[in-house]
């Protein structure tokens, strides 16, 4: 891999870092999905320049699935994407850690199509742990920073949503 490709790849990883932080600060599910779409598109380029084919595949499928998740919450579509991810991941994987982004993407797919609110974000936390391990394994500086930060930001957003739910439940008229 040339030094220029490596530097460009790492630079795009830092762009992903900024996009991801902004993405997971969103309390609105639709805004989160829109910024996730942009983030995943950038990740395709980032991982391609780092030479991580299963991460490129998982990010590419994430672009498509995130766009579809804005239109549908179909479990059938979720399972279709999970199946395609596992099939193509198995075809591309050469090392054990090539499975990390595939597993993270499968969890993210389920979260986007089948969950909402806090439950969706909790699933994203689990998926982020697989992406974090992948980013460490492939040497993605921006990706590693991104996942560590996303775990923190997403956790904070979960707490804020939970507190808002408790506050709203406390303001309900008693019957």
């Amino acid at each position: 891999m040339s030094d220029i490709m490596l530097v460009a790849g790492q630079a795009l990883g830092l762009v992903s870092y900024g996009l991801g932080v902004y993405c997971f600060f969103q309390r609105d599910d639709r805004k989160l999905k829109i910024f996730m779409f942009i983030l995943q598109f950038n990740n395709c380029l980032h991982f391609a320049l780092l030479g991580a084919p299963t991460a490129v595949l998982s990010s590419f499928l994430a672009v498509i699935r995130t766009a579809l998740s804005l239109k549908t919450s179909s479990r059938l579509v979720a399972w279709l994407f999970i199946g395609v991810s596992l099939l193509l991941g198995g075809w591309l994987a050469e090392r054990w850690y090539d499975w990390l982004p595939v597993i993270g993407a499968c969890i993210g797919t389920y979260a986007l199509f089948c969950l909402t609110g806090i439950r969706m974000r909790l699933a994203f936390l689990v998926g982020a742990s697989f992406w974090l391990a992948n980013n460490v394994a492939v040497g993605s500086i921006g990706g590693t920073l991104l996942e560590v930060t996303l775990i923190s930001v997403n956790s904070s957003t979960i707490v804020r949503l939970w507190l808002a739910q408790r506050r709203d439940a406390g303001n309900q008229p008693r019957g």
Side-chain angles (χ1 to χ4, degrees):
M1 175 181 329
S2 76
D3 289 342
I4 293 172
M5 286 178 54
L6 180 61
V7 170
Q10 295 295 3
L12 287 174
L14 294 173
V15 170
S16 286
Y17 175 74
L19 287 169
V21 169
Y22 188 74
C23 173
F24 279 94
F25 265 120
Q26 303 306 310
R27 288 196 231 180
D28 177 83
D29 289 356
R30 182 167 177 74
K31 285 182 182 177
L32 180 143
K33 290 177 182 183
I34 290 168
F35 285 104
M36 184 174 286
F37 172 85
I38 298 166
L39 165 66
Q40 293 300 347
F41 182 80
N42 189 74
N43 277 343
C44 288
L45 302 173
H46 165 65
F47 288 121
L49 290 171
L50 292 184
T54 57
V56 172
L57 168 71
S58 296
S59 294
F60 177 72
L61 290 174
V63 167
I64 297 167
R65 67 130 205 251
T66 304
L68 282 173
S69 77
L70 288 163
K71 302 289 183 193
T72 182
S73 59
S74 168
R75 288 185 186 273
L76 176 64
V77 173
W79 288 112
L80 178 66
F81 270 94
I82 290 169
V84 168
S85 293
L86 292 171
L87 182 70
L88 293 177
W91 180 61
L92 285 175
E94 295 178 359
R95 298 166 300 269
W96 68 269
Y97 60 82
D98 289 338
W99 282 100
L100 295 170
V102 175
I103 295 167
C106 288
I107 293 168
T109 297
Y110 185 80
L112 278 172
F113 284 98
C114 302
L115 303 172
T116 60
I118 293 173
R119 289 177 34 184
M120 178 176 64
R121 286 163 178 80
L122 287 170
F124 284 149
L125 284 177
V126 175
S129 66
F130 284 94
W131 278 102
L132 174 59
N134 170 76
N135 293 340
V136 170
V138 301
S140 170
I141 297 166
T144 300
L145 290 171
L146 171 65
E147 297 304 334
V148 168
T149 303
L150 289 186
I151 289 168
S152 299
V153 169
N154 199 16
S155 297
S156 171
T157 302
I158 289 167
V159 169
R160 288 184 300 138
L161 288 170
W162 181 75
L163 290 171
Q165 282 181 354
R166 284 192 57 194
R167 183 184 61 244
D168 292 346
N171 292 334
Q172 297 295 322
R174 302 196 189 249

